[in-house]
Amino acid sequence: MDSKLEQFQLKYQEGQALLDRGQYRSSVKTLEEAKSLVNPSSKLGGEVQLSLVTAYQGINKLEDAIALCQELTAHPNLAIRQQSQRILYILKAPQLKRPEEWMTKIPTTTNTEDNPTPRYIQAKPVTKPLEKPSLNLEDTTQMDTKDNGFIGLALGLFVVIIGGLIWLS
């Protein structure tokens, strides 16, 4: 493996790891370095650019994400083209407005490069867990032990099928 490809692999893996941890600004920087080390028209070049689209979204650069995704819809690799078309459809979808009462503000203790503002998450109503009636396995009075005739029906059907197979042969 040549050194340029090794450098690409390291930068790409590092960029993906940063992206997975939510460190979007660092991820953009690292993925752009990886992109410069590989042919953008190759499959690997397309994959790193798709990751860049996600990282751009993470730092609220939606216009950059859409522009890059539109470029990728003309990529030579079919799988990259198809994936970028799916992502582009999602990026261009109208944003739904969420009522403020659905949101809970979670303050951050520090503002970092990758987390400049507090984030909001959807609040879920607090509910009591449903109490399930327990079935005591020692107490057979709670079990329905009445014969429903299933065994007889299954056995009869089995005999008919076997008899039919013998008759056909």
Side-chain angles (χ1 to χ4, degrees):
M1 194 184 299
D2 69 338
S3 84
K4 194 173 183 180
L5 186 58
E6 286 178 16
Q7 286 178 321
F8 165 78
Q9 290 289 348
L10 290 174
K11 288 290 183 186
Y12 181 52
Q13 289 171 358
E14 181 184 352
Q16 282 295 119
L18 290 166
L19 186 63
D20 291 343
R21 288 193 305 262
Q23 296 175 340
Y24 302 116
R25 290 191 195 289
S26 300
S27 177
V28 166
K29 181 179 180 249
T30 307
L31 289 171
E32 284 177 342
E33 290 173 9
K35 179 184 167 190
S36 69
L37 295 170
V38 70
N39 178 359
S41 297
S42 69
K43 184 175 185 211
L44 288 175
E47 289 173 0
V48 74
Q49 290 177 85
L50 284 173
S51 294
L52 261 172
V53 168
T54 305
Y56 285 148
Q57 282 180 274
I59 59 172
N60 293 321
K61 287 191 171 184
L62 190 59
E63 297 81 25
D64 291 345
I66 290 173
L68 181 55
C69 217
Q70 284 174 327
E71 285 179 33
L72 289 172
T73 59
H75 195 275
N77 184 284
L78 176 64
I80 300 296
R81 279 196 313 266
Q82 290 173 335
Q83 184 69 15
S84 64
Q85 289 167 350
R86 288 186 204 109
I87 294 171
L88 189 60
Y89 178 79
I90 293 167
L91 292 175
K92 288 186 170 183
Q95 297 293 316
L96 299 177
K97 191 89 167 155
R98 292 186 195 139
E100 280 297 315
E101 61 267 13
W102 289 5
M103 306 301 280
T104 300
K105 187 174 182 178
I106 300 175
T108 57
T109 56
T110 60
N111 288 342
T112 63
E113 174 189 337
D114 291 316
N115 192 10
T117 59
R119 295 192 179 254
Y120 298 89
I121 61 168
Q122 183 174 349
K124 294 183 179 179
V126 178
T127 58
K128 277 178 40 180
L130 297 175
E131 292 185 24
K132 297 179 186 174
S134 64
L135 179 63
N136 185 353
L137 296 179
E138 298 296 322
D139 184 11
T140 58
T141 61
Q142 294 181 2
M143 292 185 212
D144 183 15
T145 57
K146 188 171 76 176
D147 183 18
N148 62 5
F150 176 76
I151 302 265
L153 178 67
L155 189 57
L157 188 58
F158 178 73
V159 169
V160 169
I161 291 173
I162 295 297
L165 289 175
I166 292 172
W167 182 75
L168 285 175
S169 62

